């Protein structure tokens, strides 16, 4: 029997549309001899849909019409698989619309890539082909990830984190704190978004205030760090898990402006890219225009970062090379990279279908390893459980 793969995408995130593109690309590359593919679209209202046209990119030109002809389902765990039940339930006949053995989350951004969907899948008890809850969550927070990387000896730019309440209440003190710790020009970014949403560069105090106001329209927490003015960006993907991981070819994304923008990333330089090919449409150099030593440094740091976070499956790690000093900084990790970084694996001989095979195998590997851990600890504390007396109440977790 084929393995039934549920490809989850969409969700309540600013990168919703990009995820639709990434996921449907992946669906086209999964080996149909090995897998039955069930695309599962999560709407911005967090409803799950499956159906004939859910896997067709053209259908997303009119989402209300697509939903009308598709079936809303609710995932229910069933002993290691997940059944997708019609919702609302039908009065007669079977309510099982589909069953999946493994989930492939191809989601980007908050509420989905950040461990939320991973936690949901874990609670349902199904293997999933992505980073686990903790690495996904840490990988989504640009400040927390820096702390973990710095602790592992990976170079990152120091950052100052500010929340919106602090900024409103202690406006001047916050600006002074930032100015005491960084030098203009600075970069201001929401800690937990992606796709360059909410990011601005500030050359003076006035621009800093504006950039903070702007970033706070997208997030409650933002960070400020020194801008690398002579910047070369280099991205590298890693495939594997905590035990064994390898690095892909390096790419050099090319920005039209100082900051690599949403437009640069997805709308593409050419009209024919037309937003259809997701991250794969970005203007870029592959391999990156760097020395062999720099390439090795990036690839080594990428694997180290991947393992430091305990990632699994495929991730893309983005670096900044300061051309003025030659220093390389890790900028961020994307635990579910756009287009799953397939275009970085093809140059090192890994076809997209093989990349997906390996991600799915790693999901089953983690599942086997988790099964060997005991999740019950025999203490019989429930045997005489009661809230009857004061003693019972004291038995709560201490
Ligand atoms: N410290 C920095 N110096 C210069 N440019 C930066 C810096 N941080 C971010 N950028 C620019 O902004 C872009 C988006 O920032 P990034 O931290 O990668 O967030 P996102 O998750 O939105 O991709 C980068 O690709 C780069 O072009
Ligand atoms: Mg980035």
């Amino acid at each position: 029997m084929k393995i039934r793969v549920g490809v989850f995408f969409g969700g309540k995130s600013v990168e919703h549309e990009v995820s639709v593109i990434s996921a449907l690309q992946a669906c086209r590359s999964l080996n149909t001899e090995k897998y039955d593919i069930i695309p599962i679209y999560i709407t911005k209202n967090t409803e799950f849909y499956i159906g004939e046209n859910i896997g067709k990119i053209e259908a997303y030109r009119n989402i209300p019409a697509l939903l009308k002809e598709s079936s809303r389902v609710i995932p229910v765990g069933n002993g290691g698989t997940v059944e997708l039940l019609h919702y609302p339930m039908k009065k007669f006949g079977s309510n099982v619309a589909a069953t999946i053995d493994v989930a492939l989350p191809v989601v980007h951004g908050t509420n989905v890539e950040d461990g939320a969907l991973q936690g949901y899948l874990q609670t349902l008890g199904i293997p999933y082909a992505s980073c686990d809850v903790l690495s996904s969550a840490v990988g989504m927070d640009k400040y927390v990830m820096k702390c973990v990387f710095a602790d592992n000896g990976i170079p990152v730019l120091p950052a100052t984190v500010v929340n919106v309440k602090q900024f409103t209440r202690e406006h001047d003190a916050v600006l002074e704190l930032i100015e005491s710790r960084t030098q203009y020009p600075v970069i201001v970014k929401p800690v937990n978004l992606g796709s360059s949403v909410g990011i601005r560069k500030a050359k003076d105090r006035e621009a800093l205030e504006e950039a903070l106001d702007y970033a706070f329209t997208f997030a409650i927490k933002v960070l400020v760090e020194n801008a690398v003015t002579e910047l070369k960006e280099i991205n590298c993907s890693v495939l594997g898990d905590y035990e064994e991981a390898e690095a892909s070819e390096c790419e050099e994304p090319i920005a039209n402006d100082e900051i690599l923008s949403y437009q640069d990333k997805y709308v593409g330089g050419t009209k024919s890219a037309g937003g259809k090919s997701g991250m794969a449409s970005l203007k870029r150099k592959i391999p990156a225009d760097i020395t062999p030593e720099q390439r090795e440094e990036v690839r080594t740091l990428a694997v180290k970062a991947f393992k430091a976070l305990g990632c699994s499956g495929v991730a893309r790690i983005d670096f900044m090379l300061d051309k003025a000093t030659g220093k390389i900084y890790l900028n961020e990790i994307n635990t579910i990279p756009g287009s799953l970084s397939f275009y970085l694996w093809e140059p090192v001989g890994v076809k997209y279908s093989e990349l997906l095979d390996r991600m799915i195998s790693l999901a089953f590997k983690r599942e086997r390893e988790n099964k060997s851990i005991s999740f019950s600890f025999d203490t019989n504390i429930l045997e005489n459980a009661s809230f009857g007396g004061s003693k019972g109440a004291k038995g709560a977790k201490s």
Side-chain angles (χ1 to χ4, degrees):
M1 208 171 87
K2 292 185 193 178
I3 298 171
R4 295 162 294 186
V5 183
V7 180
F8 288 77
F9 59 101
K12 198 165 134 192
S13 151
V14 292
E15 294 171 283
H16 181 98
E17 289 74 14
V18 182
S19 151
V20 174
I21 297 167
S22 283
L24 299 186
Q25 267 176 348
C27 288
R28 287 162 64 114
S29 300
L30 278 161
N31 183 345
T32 50
E33 280 172 21
K34 283 190 189 162
Y35 310 113
D36 277 331
I37 303 152
I38 300 112
I40 303 159
Y41 174 54
I42 313 173
T43 67
K44 285 188 181 170
N45 295 328
T46 70
E47 294 167 356
F48 295 75
Y49 280 86
I50 62 169
E52 184 80 21
N53 289 327
I54 287 290
K56 296 189 184 143
I57 190 75
E58 293 77 17
Y60 290 83
R61 290 177 194 165
N62 185 348
I63 294 176
L66 171 64
L67 298 185
K68 232 176 178 175
E69 62 179 34
S70 305
S71 307
R72 186 168 171 198
V73 292
I74 42 171
V76 174
N78 185 10
T81 63
V82 159
E83 290 181 339
L84 301 169
L85 303 187
H86 285 291
Y87 183 84
M89 296 264 184
K90 295 190 293 185
K91 279 216 177 88
F92 304 102
S94 168
N95 270 299
V96 183
T99 304
I100 59 173
D101 303 307
V102 60
L104 174 65
V106 190
V107 285
H108 304 308
T110 33
N111 298 313
V112 270
E113 187 184 351
D114 56 0
L117 179 61
Q118 292 73 10
Y120 183 58
L121 295 168
Q122 188 143 333
T123 307
L124 289 170
I126 188 170
Y128 52 96
S130 79
C131 289
D132 67 1
V133 177
L134 181 67
S135 48
S136 302
V138 174
M140 183 55 66
D141 190 300
K142 290 185 162 63
Y143 176 68
V144 179
M145 75 168 89
K146 274 181 196 284
C147 299
V148 177
F149 292 143
D151 194 48
N152 282 274
I154 299 164
V156 290
L157 285 174
T160 307
V161 182
V162 188
N163 70 52
V164 66
K165 285 277 157 16
Q166 257 176 311
F167 188 52
T168 333
R169 289 184 191 143
E170 305 151 38
H171 188 88
D172 289 352
V174 165
L175 294 175
E176 275 153 30
L177 174 72
I178 293 169
E179 284 174 341
S180 71
R181 299 176 52 152
T182 35
Q183 284 159 353
Y184 292 113
V186 294
I187 293 277
V188 180
K189 47 182 147 179
V191 291
N192 63 352
L193 291 186
S195 292
S196 301
V197 174
I199 302 187
R200 278 196 182 159
K201 192 170 182 177
K203 294 184 172 63
D204 52 33
R205 184 178 268 218
E206 202 185 319
L208 172 63
E209 286 183 88
E210 278 172 23
L212 285 165
D213 283 335
Y214 178 66
F216 282 130
T217 61
F218 295 98
I220 286 169
K221 259 189 343 177
V222 307
L223 70 78
V224 185
E225 66 190 17
N226 280 342
V228 177
T229 46
E230 288 188 50
L231 174 67
K232 190 194 270 284
E233 296 188 60
I234 303 154
N235 303 341
C236 179
S237 178
V238 177
L239 173 65
D241 65 1
Y242 67 96
E243 226 179 331
E244 251 182 69
E246 59 176 300
S248 71
E249 188 50 85
C250 297
E251 67 168 329
E252 184 180 338
I254 310 289
N256 286 319
D257 211 333
E258 280 180 323
I259 288 176
L260 195 61
S261 69
Y262 189 92
Q263 292 283 321
D264 289 330
K265 285 178 179 171
Y266 308 116
V267 184
T270 57
K271 233 183 162 189
S272 61
K276 273 205 203 108
S277 33
M279 265 306 274
S281 75
L282 173 72
K283 271 198 270 175
R284 56 162 59 82
K285 285 185 200 160
I286 301 178
D289 184 12
I290 47 177
T291 65
E293 294 74 30
Q294 286 168 330
R295 178 175 181 270
E296 266 335 286
E297 186 179 345
V298 164
R299 296 175 84 230
T300 306
L301 284 173
V303 170
K304 195 171 173 191
F306 184 95
K307 288 188 171 174
L309 234 57
C311 293
S312 176
V314 76
R316 197 189 75 230
I317 296 115
D318 297 351
F319 295 86
M320 295 188 292
L321 167 65
D322 186 340
K323 288 186 277 183
T325 61
K327 271 208 79 145
I328 291 172
Y329 300 98
L330 195 161
N331 179 33
E332 62 157 345
I333 185 165
N334 297 282
T335 52
I336 305 186
S339 302
L340 299 180
S341 298
F342 77 87
Y343 54 90
L344 291 177
W345 289 98
E346 282 174 348
V348 289
V350 180
K351 285 203 210 107
Y352 197 3
S353 60
E354 187 191 334
L355 173 71
L356 292 162
D357 281 350
R358 285 169 67 179
M359 289 173 69
I360 291 168
S361 302
L362 286 161
F364 286 116
K365 178 187 174 211
R366 183 173 58 208
E367 188 66 8
R368 281 193 303 276
E369 288 178 354
N370 280 346
K371 272 198 185 131
S372 66
I373 300 168
S374 175
F375 287 104
S376 53
F377 183 60
D378 253 339
T379 55
N380 291 334
I381 58 164
L382 292 177
E383 215 156 68
N384 301 308
S386 124
F387 289 134
S390 56
K391 263 191 177 166
K394 273 190 198 148
K397 187 177 188 298
S398 58

